[in-house]
Amino acid sequence: MAAAAAAVMAAGTLVAVNAAPAAAATVDTNAWYALVNRNSGKALDLYASATNDGARISQWTRNNGVN
């Protein structure tokens, strides 16, 4: 039983060690982007199309607005 548990733990460790590193994407400053939550499917929304630091954000159903 202990050998089986050790094998399972070792296999789990190998998966974590072999995980691919994250890579940053190139951002085109002339393009528009929509940030969509993978779980809810909702998009990031800026209240009143604010551009200031500390602007209020929330998640809304995507409507392709300028927010």
Side-chain angles (χ1 to χ4, degrees), residues 19-43:
T26 302
V27 176
D28 180 355
T29 57
N30 294 313
W32 293 86
Y33 294 93
L35 301 177
V36 180
N37 184 307
R38 289 182 185 179
N39 294 317
S40 69
K42 293 185 177 185

